[in-house]
Amino acid sequence: MDQRFSWCCYIPDGYDPAGDRVHPLAVLVHGSLRDADILRDAFIDFAEAHQCLLLAPLFPAGIDDAEDLHNYKHIAYRGIRYDLIVLDMVEELAGRYRVAKEKVLMHGFSGGAQFAHRFFYLHPSRLRAVSVGAPGTVTLPDQRDWWVGVKGMEEIFGRPLDVAAMRDVAVQLVIGDQDIETWDVTVGPQSPFWMEGINDSGETRVDRLRSLETGLRSIGVDLRFDTVPGVSHDGTGIQGPVKAFFSQVLAGA
């Protein structure tokens, strides 16, 4: 769909090219460090345990602005639709391997969590489960303008908020209890992402994730909230609960 973007994957050892089993698929969305291959490798044990394929997109910085680090986090950026690019990656992988492409598992940490929960608003019918790990900013399901809230989402993306479909998705919010630094989450008026109310969801990532929890529960979305003791802003530190959550989803628990 767009040759500027790429993906890596992992195929479990039990995958039989001549077989007929359709395997689950987990999409893993990197944070600002763009460590897609490292994120993929960290979930190989989960992939082998559940014979689940892994897909990790890579969204390079500086695509249309050499100083830009945040392009994919808000889904739409200078004519690029990152949600549609991910869906196209899923289709590309599904053209090679037998995967349950219609409903995938998705996990994102930090910037990847910003993408994941906004993707959840736009494409709940394509998700079996979504795990949102320590986003710096959150979009709440209220009537403030996108991307502080969801007002105008249909006009921007051509997709209305489908609350009924959202309620069918297994949802996890996960964060370390020491993820309380504010220097990199407070959005100032000089930021290109400044909007009125952007910091109202709380001072820290913990506060903001709790605000997202409240917002989702207010529209009837059931979810689990996992807090990991002693962990700061560290994606590897929250991966245990993420794998446990996905394992329960795949087990039908």
Side-chain angles (χ1 to χ4, degrees):
M1 180 177 180
D2 191 322
Q3 294 300 306
R4 293 173 292 183
F5 305 105
S6 60
W7 52 269
C8 58
C9 67
Y10 180 79
I11 313 303
D13 290 341
Y15 182 87
D16 181 2
D20 56 9
R21 177 181 177 182
V22 177
H23 294 249
L25 173 63
V27 177
L28 308 172
V29 187
H30 61 67
S32 298
L33 295 180
R34 269 91 177 163
D35 50 355
D37 56 335
I38 295 173
L39 179 59
R40 173 203 58 187
D41 290 353
F43 278 79
I44 286 176
D45 57 343
F46 167 81
E48 289 293 345
H50 298 280
Q51 293 301 291
C52 178
L53 276 69
L54 307 176
L55 169 65
L58 174 61
F59 298 133
I63 286 295
D64 198 48
D65 175 354
E67 301 301 317
D68 171 64
L69 299 175
H70 306 290
N71 44 47
Y72 68 103
K73 300 174 186 178
H74 303 114
I75 306 291
Y77 173 80
R78 298 194 179 186
I80 303 170
R81 283 284 300 275
Y82 286 88
D83 58 330
L84 301 183
I85 288 172
V86 166
L87 290 173
D88 194 67
M89 291 174 175
V90 170
E91 289 294 332
E92 189 173 8
L93 184 138
R96 305 182 186 196
Y97 303 101
R98 298 183 312 277
V99 293
K101 68 175 185 176
E102 296 304 326
K103 285 187 177 289
V104 305
L105 312 174
M106 180 177 286
H107 168 64
F109 170 74
S110 194
Q114 291 193 47
F115 174 91
H117 84 281
R118 293 173 182 132
F119 184 95
F120 173 45
Y121 288 136
L122 289 164
H123 302 283
S125 64
R126 299 300 304 272
L127 293 170
R128 185 171 178 181
V130 61
S131 169
V132 180
T137 64
V138 295
T139 295
L140 301 180
D142 61 28
Q143 284 305 300
R144 289 179 290 178
D145 289 338
W146 180 270
W147 48 271
V148 173
V150 295
K151 182 181 178 182
M153 196 177 83
E154 186 169 7
E155 290 76 11
I156 296 169
F157 298 101
R159 301 188 67 86
L161 190 71
D162 188 344
V163 174
M166 291 173 65
R167 292 169 180 164
D168 288 336
V169 180
V171 178
Q172 178 192 47
L173 308 182
V174 57
I175 194 165
D177 69 352
Q178 297 304 303
D179 197 346
I180 54 176
E181 293 290 339
T182 61
W183 66 271
D184 59 345
V185 299
T186 302
V187 181
Q190 74 284 357
S191 169
F193 303 111
W194 167 258
M195 289 182 64
E196 191 67 37
I198 190 54
N199 297 308
D200 291 353
S201 55
E203 293 186 7
T204 70
R205 285 186 172 89
V206 174
D207 297 334
R208 294 180 178 195
L209 202 60
R210 285 295 185 186
S211 293
L212 181 59
E213 176 191 20
T214 299
L216 291 175
R217 291 193 188 279
S218 74
I219 60 170
V221 174
D222 192 20
L223 58 86
R224 59 182 280 178
F225 195 110
D226 288 307
T227 303
V228 187
V231 172
S232 57
H233 196 56
D234 175 11
T236 61
I238 66 169
Q239 287 171 0
V242 176
K243 294 173 185 177
F245 168 61
F246 282 163
S247 297
Q248 289 179 357
V249 170
L250 293 179

